[in-house]
Amino acid sequence: MDEYIDIVDANGTPTGESKLKSIIHQKGYYHNTAHIWFYTKSGEVLLSQRSSKKTICPLMWDVSVAGHIDTGETIKQAAIRETKEEIGLSISENDLKKIGVFKCFQTYENGIIDNEFHNTFICELKVSISELTPQEEEVEALKLVSFTHFKDLINNIDNNNNHFVPSNKSYYKFILQNITDTIN
Protein backbone atom coordinates (compact mmCIF):
# COMPACT_ATOMS: atom_id res chain seq x y z
CA MET A 1 0.00 0.00 0.00
CA ASP A 2 1.38 3.42 -0.96
CA GLU A 3 0.20 5.64 1.88
CA TYR A 4 1.19 9.21 2.66
CA ILE A 5 3.94 9.58 5.26
CA ASP A 6 5.10 12.69 7.11
CA ILE A 7 8.67 13.78 6.39
CA VAL A 8 11.08 14.70 9.19
CA ASP A 9 14.53 16.27 9.04
CA ALA A 10 17.85 14.60 9.92
CA ASN A 11 17.15 15.27 13.61
CA GLY A 12 13.66 13.73 13.50
CA THR A 13 11.81 17.06 13.58
CA PRO A 14 8.65 17.18 11.41
CA THR A 15 9.02 19.38 8.31
CA GLY A 16 5.29 19.80 7.71
CA GLU A 17 5.56 17.96 4.38
CA SER A 18 4.23 14.55 3.46
CA LYS A 19 4.80 12.32 0.43
CA LEU A 20 3.80 8.88 -0.78
CA LYS A 21 5.85 6.11 0.85
CA SER A 22 7.19 5.09 -2.57
CA ILE A 23 8.55 8.61 -3.14
CA ILE A 24 10.00 8.76 0.38
CA HIS A 25 11.93 5.52 -0.24
CA GLN A 26 12.95 6.59 -3.74
CA LYS A 27 14.28 10.00 -2.65
CA GLY A 28 15.53 8.96 0.79
CA TYR A 29 13.46 11.39 2.83
CA TYR A 30 13.71 10.96 6.61
CA HIS A 31 10.59 9.53 8.24
CA ASN A 32 9.29 7.82 11.38
CA THR A 33 8.34 4.22 12.00
CA ALA A 34 6.93 2.46 15.05
CA HIS A 35 8.53 -0.73 16.39
CA ILE A 36 6.72 -2.79 19.01
CA TRP A 37 8.53 -5.64 20.75
CA PHE A 38 6.21 -8.01 22.62
CA TYR A 39 7.42 -10.09 25.55
CA THR A 40 5.88 -12.45 28.09
CA LYS A 41 6.36 -12.33 31.84
CA SER A 42 7.61 -15.92 31.59
CA GLY A 43 10.70 -14.68 29.72
CA GLU A 44 9.97 -14.88 26.00
CA VAL A 45 10.16 -12.44 23.08
CA LEU A 46 7.75 -12.52 20.14
CA LEU A 47 9.60 -12.58 16.82
CA SER A 48 8.01 -11.95 13.46
CA GLN A 49 9.29 -13.42 10.22
CA ARG A 50 9.02 -10.89 7.41
CA SER A 51 6.77 -12.00 4.56
CA SER A 52 8.34 -13.53 1.47
CA LYS A 53 6.53 -10.72 -0.41
CA LYS A 54 8.57 -7.96 1.30
CA THR A 55 11.02 -6.03 -0.88
CA ILE A 56 13.46 -5.52 2.01
CA CYS A 57 14.85 -8.49 3.97
CA PRO A 58 12.15 -11.04 3.07
CA LEU A 59 11.88 -14.07 5.39
CA MET A 60 14.24 -12.60 8.00
CA TRP A 61 13.17 -12.67 11.65
CA ASP A 62 12.87 -9.31 13.35
CA VAL A 63 10.76 -7.03 15.53
CA SER A 64 7.32 -8.33 16.64
CA VAL A 65 5.45 -5.52 14.82
CA ALA A 66 6.71 -2.56 12.80
CA GLY A 67 5.34 -0.03 10.38
CA HIS A 68 5.27 3.49 9.04
CA ILE A 69 3.38 6.34 10.66
CA ASP A 70 0.69 7.61 8.30
CA THR A 71 0.29 11.33 7.73
CA GLY A 72 -1.54 12.95 10.65
CA GLU A 73 -1.13 9.92 12.91
CA THR A 74 0.71 10.01 16.23
CA ILE A 75 3.45 7.46 16.75
CA LYS A 76 1.41 5.64 19.41
CA GLN A 77 -1.68 5.59 17.14
CA ALA A 78 0.47 4.01 14.42
CA ALA A 79 1.83 1.43 16.89
CA ILE A 80 -1.72 0.45 17.87
CA ARG A 81 -2.91 0.33 14.24
CA GLU A 82 0.09 -1.68 13.04
CA THR A 83 -0.31 -4.19 15.89
CA LYS A 84 -3.96 -4.75 14.95
CA GLU A 85 -3.14 -5.03 11.22
CA GLU A 86 -0.05 -7.22 11.44
CA ILE A 87 -0.94 -9.67 14.23
CA GLY A 88 -4.64 -9.05 14.93
CA LEU A 89 -4.04 -7.88 18.50
CA SER A 90 -5.79 -4.91 20.11
CA ILE A 91 -3.66 -2.86 22.50
CA SER A 92 -3.96 0.61 24.05
CA GLU A 93 -1.53 3.50 24.44
CA ASN A 94 -1.14 2.58 28.13
CA ASP A 95 0.21 -0.84 27.13
CA LEU A 96 3.14 0.74 25.27
CA LYS A 97 6.41 1.61 27.00
CA LYS A 98 8.69 3.74 24.81
CA ILE A 99 12.34 2.80 25.19
CA GLY A 100 13.99 4.96 22.54
CA VAL A 101 14.31 6.26 19.01
CA PHE A 102 16.89 4.62 16.77
CA LYS A 103 18.30 5.92 13.50
CA CYS A 104 18.28 3.35 10.73
CA PHE A 105 19.68 4.83 7.53
CA GLN A 106 20.26 2.19 4.85
CA THR A 107 20.30 1.88 1.07
CA TYR A 108 19.36 -1.43 -0.53
CA GLU A 109 20.37 -3.04 -3.82
CA ASN A 110 16.81 -2.67 -5.14
CA GLY A 111 17.19 1.13 -4.99
CA ILE A 112 15.24 1.76 -1.79
CA ILE A 113 16.79 4.49 0.37
CA ASP A 114 15.40 3.91 3.84
CA ASN A 115 16.11 6.75 6.27
CA GLU A 116 13.98 5.83 9.26
CA PHE A 117 13.70 6.77 12.89
CA HIS A 118 12.49 3.65 14.72
CA ASN A 119 10.29 4.84 17.60
CA THR A 120 10.61 1.73 19.72
CA PHE A 121 8.22 0.36 22.32
CA ILE A 122 8.02 -2.76 24.44
CA CYS A 123 4.68 -4.28 25.38
CA GLU A 124 3.64 -7.29 27.41
CA LEU A 125 1.96 -10.03 25.37
CA LYS A 126 -1.02 -11.05 27.48
CA VAL A 127 -2.58 -13.60 25.10
CA SER A 128 -1.45 -16.92 23.70
CA ILE A 129 0.47 -16.81 20.42
CA SER A 130 -2.30 -19.02 18.98
CA GLU A 131 -4.69 -16.06 19.31
CA LEU A 132 -2.57 -13.91 16.99
CA THR A 133 -3.40 -13.63 13.29
CA PRO A 134 -0.43 -12.79 11.03
CA GLN A 135 -1.17 -10.42 8.12
CA GLU A 136 -0.11 -12.37 5.03
CA GLU A 137 1.39 -9.40 3.17
CA GLU A 138 3.60 -8.48 6.13
CA VAL A 139 4.19 -11.55 8.31
CA GLU A 140 5.23 -15.03 7.22
CA ALA A 141 5.28 -16.53 10.73
CA LEU A 142 5.42 -15.71 14.44
CA LYS A 143 7.31 -17.44 17.23
CA LEU A 144 8.15 -16.96 20.88
CA VAL A 145 11.78 -17.48 21.88
CA SER A 146 13.21 -17.54 25.38
CA PHE A 147 15.40 -14.65 26.48
CA THR A 148 18.33 -17.10 26.51
CA HIS A 149 17.67 -18.20 22.93
CA PHE A 150 17.18 -14.58 21.81
CA LYS A 151 20.54 -13.68 23.40
CA ASP A 152 22.23 -16.65 21.65
CA LEU A 153 20.76 -15.57 18.30
CA ILE A 154 22.05 -12.03 18.86
CA ASN A 155 25.52 -13.19 19.92
CA ASN A 156 25.76 -15.43 16.84
CA ILE A 157 24.14 -12.95 14.47
CA ASP A 158 26.88 -13.31 11.85
CA ASN A 159 26.58 -17.12 11.78
CA ASN A 160 22.83 -17.62 12.18
CA ASN A 161 21.87 -18.25 8.55
CA ASN A 162 20.13 -14.90 8.01
CA HIS A 163 17.98 -15.25 11.08
CA PHE A 164 18.37 -11.55 11.99
CA VAL A 165 19.58 -8.44 10.18
CA PRO A 166 23.32 -8.39 11.13
CA SER A 167 23.57 -4.57 11.18
CA ASN A 168 20.98 -4.47 13.99
CA LYS A 169 23.04 -6.37 16.61
CA SER A 170 23.40 -3.49 19.09
CA TYR A 171 19.71 -2.63 18.63
CA TYR A 172 18.66 -6.21 19.48
CA LYS A 173 20.91 -6.19 22.57
CA PHE A 174 19.31 -2.93 23.73
CA ILE A 175 15.82 -4.43 23.26
CA LEU A 176 16.66 -7.54 25.28
CA GLN A 177 18.20 -5.48 28.09
CA ASN A 178 15.13 -3.22 28.32
CA ILE A 179 12.70 -6.13 28.35
CA THR A 180 14.77 -7.95 30.97
CA ASP A 181 14.95 -4.82 33.14
CA THR A 182 11.18 -4.34 32.82
CA ILE A 183 10.18 -7.77 34.08
CA ASN A 184 12.83 -8.05 36.80
Side-chain angles (χ1 to χ4, degrees):
M1 196 165 86
D2 203 11
E3 64 268 25
Y4 276 89
I5 309 265
D6 291 330
I7 297 172
V8 298
D9 67 17
N11 298 311
T13 306
T15 65
E17 281 187 271
S18 62
K19 301 274 185 199
L20 286 170
K21 183 167 80 171
S22 59
I23 301 297
I24 284 178
H25 286 157
Q26 178 187 33
K27 301 284 186 185
Y29 293 122
Y30 298 102
H31 58 286
N32 285 309
T33 60
H35 279 207
I36 308 92
W37 288 87
F38 285 92
Y39 65 90
T40 67
K41 285 203 172 171
S42 61
E44 298 168 306
V45 176
L46 179 68
L47 299 179
S48 177
Q49 186 179 33
R50 295 172 60 82
S51 169
S52 63
K53 300 172 185 178
K54 300 292 281 180
T55 56
I56 298 172
C57 301
L59 298 177
M60 293 193 92
W61 291 89
D62 203 357
V63 58
S64 311
V65 172
H68 290 83
I69 288 91
D70 292 345
T71 293
E73 225 177 9
T74 68
I75 292 166
K76 283 189 173 182
Q77 287 170 338
I80 291 165
R81 176 184 50 77
E82 289 289 347
T83 299
K84 184 67 175 168
E85 289 175 2
E86 290 191 9
I87 62 173
L89 180 64
S90 295
I91 60 170
S92 72
E93 288 191 13
N94 292 336
D95 295 325
L96 296 167
K97 177 183 176 187
K98 190 164 188 176
I99 60 169
V101 179
F102 301 88
K103 294 178 182 178
C104 184
F105 304 154
Q106 296 185 15
T107 302
Y108 298 92
E109 289 179 11
N110 61 7
I112 290 177
I113 305 166
D114 213 4
N115 292 322
E116 296 182 344
F117 290 92
H118 298 322
N119 293 268
T120 305
F121 301 90
I122 58 175
C123 184
E124 182 183 352
L125 182 64
K126 299 175 183 176
V127 301
S128 166
I129 191 171
S130 64
E131 295 180 46
L132 304 178
T133 308
Q135 181 185 23
E136 187 178 314
E137 299 79 32
E138 298 288 333
V139 180
E140 197 74 23
L142 296 167
K143 69 178 175 181
L144 286 167
V145 297
S146 69
F147 290 174
T148 303
H149 186 59
F150 189 48
K151 185 176 182 178
D152 287 343
L153 289 169
I154 295 166
N155 289 337
N156 295 298
I157 202 163
D158 297 319
N159 323 331
N160 65 14
N161 299 321
N162 293 326
H163 201 278
F164 288 138
V165 180
S167 61
N168 290 348
K169 186 173 185 173
S170 62
Y171 172 65
Y172 296 133
K173 283 183 173 183
F174 182 82
I175 299 303
L176 181 57
Q177 185 63 55
N178 272 271
I179 291 172
T180 305
D181 290 348
T182 297
I183 67 166
N184 288 334

